[in-house]
Amino acid sequence: MALTKVSDDLLQSPAGPEINAVNTDIALLGFKVAANGSLAAYNLHDQTVDDFQDASGIDASTSTGEIRNDSNYYSGVSLGTYSTNAFTSTGASTWTCPADTQQAEVLIVGGGAGGGNHYYGGGGGAGGVVHDTDYAVVAGTVYDITVGAGGAAVNSGSDSVWNVNAEGSGITMTANGGGRGGDSDVQNGVSGGSGGGGSGYGIPNTGGSSSQTSPTGATGYGNDGGGSGSNQGGAGGGGADAVGQDSPGTNNEDGGYGGAGKLFSNFTAYGTTSGNVASSGSDGGYFGGGGGGGGYPGDNSNQGGAGGVGGGGKGAK
């Protein structure tokens, strides 16, 4: 139900009941005009009309913890206990919003991709990452979750999706699966959340591009995979925080490094550490690192590039 705000001095004019009645009619007429036209707050000579269609005219600068909902109502909130829920098993799952909860910080990571076959295969791209710091939730609502699987060799990763079922309101957010690395069959890296690295076979080859977008109110992270030009080492897959490395020119046959993953400080118990080791505590929180490209065989100095921080492992040696 819409609300109106009318100056008290106008409704309680000392001029008498007849004038008060006219003033009231004018105030109601002004309110109906505003409501019918979905107008913002505006001022007349001795009154202010506001049917609260939007936040115009509302000064929340001295308020703390206020939230304006989709029905244009303000309410106060207080911060409670911060808790984290992780969903890491692939497939469908659900999360039920606890009581007295109006916002949640949501992190969605797509499945990382596999690298290309052969020693000169490109590294797989990381799954895309979507981060929303203040996603509006409704207490008691069940939210649908799909955790995307990582891709096997020469396969792209699967999407991870945060979805709202028929009980609730909100928006769907998707983190795209990573793009596979190139090899002798598909020589260019494939596009995905982060793109796969190009193969060192049949050079030059390009890396896949990032297809990750930013849903409304959230930020998406993804980068392109590296390319292979004058040498036969595979390029690195893109990561959430950096592009994959092109096949390096210092050694004709080395593989490129994968792009680094993104660090999210509120999710430190999940992801990996900066050394690509699975995290179980405060030194973790990296997500979406790209895989390293393979090194072309020749001698013992030729090797695959390292995986990006927070994700994929080394390429073939």
Side-chain angles (χ1 to χ4, degrees), residues 88-91 109-114 127 146-152 155-160 177-178:
T88 57
S89 298
T90 58
V109 184
T146 300
V147 179
N155 283 278
S156 295
S158 299
D159 295 350
S160 293

Side-chain angles (χ1 to χ4, degrees), residues 116-122 183 199-201 232-234 253-255 292-298 302-304 315-317:
N117 277 330
H118 305 291
Y119 290 101
Y120 36 64
D183 58 18
S199 168
Y201 181 89
Q232 292 178 299
E253 296 159 346
D254 282 351
Y296 187 80
N302 303 320
Q303 58 184 354
K317 185 172 182 179

Side-chain angles (χ1 to χ4, degrees), residues 138 256 291:
V138 179

Side-chain angles (χ1 to χ4, degrees), residues 268-281 283-286 307-313:
T268 53
Y270 311 99
T272 73
T273 69
S274 60
N276 263 349
V277 178
S279 170
S280 59
D283 59 345
Y286 286 93
V309 172

